[in-house]
């Protein structure tokens, strides 16, 4: 998320920055405070950002580092007519108030000239102490200490204010608010973008993009979901109400002006004219576990027919193989994304058989990130982010990656079928076992 947002604001990671996987603290090299504030206006993963004045592996190292910090950079925030306070945050350890005061008093060598104001200070300084990640083996002294000036907090409050529990219209698989905002940030959604979700469902992913000022639209094969009909997913409610739909959700958050439309459509069939381009495609395809995977079929296929009714508005439907869903999605993104536009989607994984080779690829799309969300000891899903780096051509219509080369797709006995067969069944079995 941080990498995507830095690139959105024109920044990038430098080779000098310190990245430790097993630490909640991250040192970034950001060229301006303005960029840092812009970053924190978007992120739901980071809690706060600080201007780092000193860092050490012991208190002595920290104090020595602070004494070497340029005084001219400190003075604007230490003037006699200003107010300040010092806050202490310890990770994986709790300090007594007396211990905190002792650590603050040890900073008396800094040229503070202003007055202390604990309620409403102009400047806030933080001591951050990292006691590791093992709660059963907490060291006496911290592994790392940091001191810096607070700049801004992240957007963690969005997780609560956009909670699915409070949402007007929900479904069985409505996306968690935190993950929805992370996906929008991975997609680098910005004001006036057009964002599309080909498996829109109840529109949870549209809300986060609209919050960041993008115009949103989507499609889904399920007539009832798009029109807000049928059985409700909420506890103690049998049927959906007359105003339970995607538009009502956006209206609930004051985002209705960003809503373009939602279509009843089969994502496996072409519906858009050439040249219809999207800035981002952000979606959560159905895995066939809690949501069925289906597409429109023909009488020549193995199909089930159904009369037009409130239960099923598709005359003829057929099964939609999991691998077909993802490769059709990549093909669609390659054709309809703008250059530099991003595709963000979830890929279900059976962990014992997972290798990075199973991730679907397309010659027009570059893999940007691959993040895992653990579901159980054997199952997880991967948040895949891809960026369009090449114009789509006719020869890219049916391509997939095999041994580092893009080859034409040859039907259900191909490379992609081999890797995806059985994933849905294994995940479904594990879910049933967990319920028992």
């Amino acid at each position: 998320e941080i990498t995507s947002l830095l690139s959105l604001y024109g920044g990038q990671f430098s080779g000098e920055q310190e990245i430790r996987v097993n630490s909640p603290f991250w040192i970034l090299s950001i060229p301006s405070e303005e960029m840092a504030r812009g970053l924190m206006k978007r992120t739901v993963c980071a809690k706060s950002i600080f201007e780092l004045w000193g860092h050490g592996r012991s208190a002595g190292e920290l104090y020595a580092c602070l004494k070497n910090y340029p005084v001219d950079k400190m003075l604007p925030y230490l003037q006699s007519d200003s107010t300040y306070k010092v806050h202490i945050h310890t990770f994986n350890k709790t300090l007594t108030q007396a211990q905190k005061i002792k650590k603050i008093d040890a900073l008396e060598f800094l040229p503070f000239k202003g007055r202390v104001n604990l309620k409403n200070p102009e400047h806030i300084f933080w001591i951050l102490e990292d006691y590791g990640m093992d709660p059963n083996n907490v060291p006496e002294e911290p592994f790392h200490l940091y001191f810096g000036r607070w700049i801004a907090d992240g957007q963690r409050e969005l997780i609560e204010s956009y909670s699915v529990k409070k949402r007007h219209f929900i479904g069985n698989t409505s996306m968690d608010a935190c993950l929805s905002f992370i996906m929008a940030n991975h997609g680098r959604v910005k004001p006036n973008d057009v964002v599309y979700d080909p498996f829109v469902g109840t529109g949870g992913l549209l809300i986060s993009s609209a919050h960041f000022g993008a115009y949103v639209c989507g499609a889904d094969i399920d007539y009832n979901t798009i029109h807000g009909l049928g059985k409700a997913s909420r506890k103690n409610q049998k049927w959906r109400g007359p105003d339970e739909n995607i538009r009502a959700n956006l209206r609930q958050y004051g985002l209705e002006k960003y809503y373009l439309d939602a279509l009843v459509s089969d994502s496996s069939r072409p519906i858009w004219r050439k040249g219809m381009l999207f800035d981002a495609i952000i979606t959560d395809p159905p895995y066939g576990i809690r949501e069925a995977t289906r597409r429109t079929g023909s009488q020549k296929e193995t199909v089930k027919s159904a009369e037009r009714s409130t239960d099923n508005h598709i005359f003829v439907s057929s099964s939609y193989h999991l691998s077909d869903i993802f490769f059709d999605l990549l093909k669609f993104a390659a054709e309809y994304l703008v250059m530099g536009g991003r595709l963000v989607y979830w890929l279900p994984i059976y962990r014992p058989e997972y290798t990075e080779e199973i991730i679907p690829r397309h010659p027009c799309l570059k893999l940007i990130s691959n993040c895992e969300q653990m579901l159980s000891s054997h199952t997880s899903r991967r948040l895949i982010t891809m960026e369009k780096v090449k114009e789509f051509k006719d020869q890219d219509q049916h391509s997939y990656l095999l041994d580092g080369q893009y080859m034409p797709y040859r039907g259900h006995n191909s490379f992609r079928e081999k890797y995806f067969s059985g994933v849905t069944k294994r995940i479904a079995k594990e879910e049933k076992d967990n319920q028992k």
Side-chain angles (χ1 to χ4, degrees):
E1 187 203 42
I2 300 296
T3 308
S4 296
L5 291 175
L6 277 177
S7 66
L8 176 63
Y9 287 103
Q12 60 183 0
F13 284 109
S14 69
E16 300 175 0
Q17 72 192 5
E18 184 179 349
I19 301 174
R20 294 194 310 281
V21 175
N22 295 321
S23 173
F25 303 105
W26 206 358
I27 298 178
L28 300 177
S29 179
I30 299 178
S32 69
E33 186 173 320
E34 182 183 2
M35 184 179 291
R37 291 184 183 278
L39 183 73
M40 301 310 286
K41 286 179 181 178
R42 293 287 302 261
T43 177
V44 292
C45 289
K47 288 188 176 181
S48 303
I49 195 165
F50 310 88
E51 181 183 57
L52 187 63
W53 285 15
H55 165 231
R57 294 179 180 272
S58 65
E61 276 189 27
L62 173 64
Y63 302 152
C65 189
L66 284 172
K67 289 174 182 177
N68 291 327
Y69 191 74
V71 177
D72 59 318
K73 290 185 177 181
M74 291 184 181
L75 289 180
Y77 310 103
L78 307 178
Q79 296 298 318
S80 57
D81 58 349
S82 66
T83 57
Y84 73 94
K85 78 170 181 178
V86 179
H87 187 89
I88 294 182
H89 174 77
T90 55
F91 184 82
N92 199 29
K93 188 170 185 176
T94 302
L95 300 180
T96 65
Q97 190 64 24
Q99 288 174 315
K100 290 181 179 180
I101 292 173
K102 183 178 179 181
K103 289 177 181 288
I104 292 173
D105 289 342
L107 297 173
E108 61 183 3
F109 62 87
L110 291 175
F112 288 109
K113 297 178 181 178
R115 293 176 292 106
V116 173
N117 184 332
L118 299 180
K119 290 187 177 180
N120 189 28
E122 292 178 57
H123 309 297
I124 305 174
F125 301 93
W126 283 60
I127 300 171
L128 305 167
E129 297 187 346
D130 181 4
Y131 287 87
M133 303 288 283
D134 186 359
N136 299 316
N137 187 23
V138 181
E140 284 296 319
E141 297 298 326
F143 295 122
H144 293 271
L145 298 93
Y146 308 86
F147 180 85
R149 178 178 64 89
W150 174 83
I151 296 176
D153 287 333
Q155 302 300 308
R156 301 286 293 175
E157 74 279 357
L158 293 178
I159 299 171
E160 179 62 26
S161 57
Y162 281 87
S163 172
V164 174
K165 295 177 183 178
K166 304 174 184 177
R167 195 166 297 167
H168 187 64
F169 177 46
I170 62 170
N172 293 334
T173 56
S174 293
M175 183 61 66
D176 170 78
C178 178
L179 295 177
S180 180
F181 280 103
I182 289 173
M183 291 177 76
N185 285 333
H186 274 240
R188 299 193 301 189
V189 174
K190 58 187 182 299
N192 299 319
D193 276 356
V194 178
V195 177
Y196 178 66
D197 182 353
F199 304 95
V200 70
T202 56
L205 295 180
L206 301 186
I207 293 171
S208 55
S209 294
H211 174 83
F212 293 132
Y215 293 93
V216 295
C217 56
D220 202 286
I221 197 172
D222 192 325
Y223 179 96
N224 291 343
T225 301
I226 292 294
H227 289 277
L229 303 174
K231 293 182 179 180
S233 298
R234 203 180 300 276
K235 188 178 180 181
N236 300 325
Q237 181 182 339
K238 189 171 183 181
W239 301 100
R240 287 174 176 148
D243 191 34
E244 286 193 50
N245 51 55
I246 297 172
R247 183 184 292 275
N249 275 351
L250 286 145
R251 187 186 304 125
Q252 176 183 353
Y253 300 111
L255 302 171
E256 188 177 3
K257 65 180 179 179
Y258 296 112
Y259 181 56
L260 299 178
D261 209 344
L263 313 174
V264 180
S265 167
D266 178 1
S267 64
S268 70
R269 308 287 181 180
I271 63 168
W272 299 102
R273 61 178 172 82
K274 300 295 182 183
M276 187 68 181
L277 302 177
F278 302 105
D279 296 286
I281 296 171
I282 299 175
T283 191
D284 182 28
Y287 313 144
I289 303 166
R290 286 179 291 173
E291 295 288 348
T293 57
R294 60 192 178 97
R295 59 180 169 184
T296 52
S298 69
Q299 297 295 342
K300 295 179 181 179
E301 300 172 356
T302 304
V303 299
K304 63 175 184 178
S305 299
E307 293 182 0
R308 198 172 188 71
S309 67
T310 55
D311 293 329
N312 193 334
H313 282 254
I314 303 298
F315 281 110
V316 182
S317 66
S318 65
S319 62
Y320 195 7
H321 197 278
L322 190 62
S323 62
D324 291 330
I325 290 176
F326 294 113
F327 281 85
D328 284 346
L329 176 62
L330 263 65
K331 183 179 70 175
F332 179 85
E335 187 169 2
Y336 290 101
L337 277 175
V338 299
M339 284 297 293
R342 288 194 169 186
L343 166 66
V344 184
Y345 70 96
W346 288 100
L347 182 73
I349 290 298
Y350 184 64
R351 300 186 76 234
E353 295 181 3
Y354 169 76
T355 66
E356 196 159 312
E357 294 174 348
I358 77 167
I359 298 171
R361 304 292 180 94
H362 192 280
C364 296
L365 302 173
K366 176 185 177 183
L367 180 64
I368 299 297
S369 69
N370 172 11
C371 309
E372 184 179 29
Q373 182 196 19
M374 294 282 292
L375 302 177
S376 72
S377 59
H378 289 85
T379 60
S380 67
R381 58 180 180 175
R382 297 253 169 185
L383 182 59
I384 306 297
T385 303
M386 308 186 89
E387 186 173 311
K388 185 172 179 179
V389 294
K390 176 188 158 193
E391 289 291 351
F392 182 85
K393 297 180 180 178
D394 290 339
Q395 58 263 38
D396 300 321
Q397 189 74 14
H398 302 287
S399 298
Y400 70 96
L401 187 67
L402 178 60
D403 295 332
Q405 294 183 341
Y406 288 98
M407 304 180 69
Y409 165 60
R410 297 187 180 88
H412 283 284
N413 293 322
S414 67
F415 167 79
R416 62 181 181 173
E417 189 83 7
K418 173 185 174 184
Y419 276 103
F420 280 101
S421 61
V423 171
T424 305
K425 291 181 181 178
R426 291 188 182 98
I427 296 176
K429 182 180 183 301
E430 191 142 327
E431 279 202 354
K432 287 181 181 178
D433 292 341
N434 291 336
Q435 288 174 357
K436 290 178 183 177

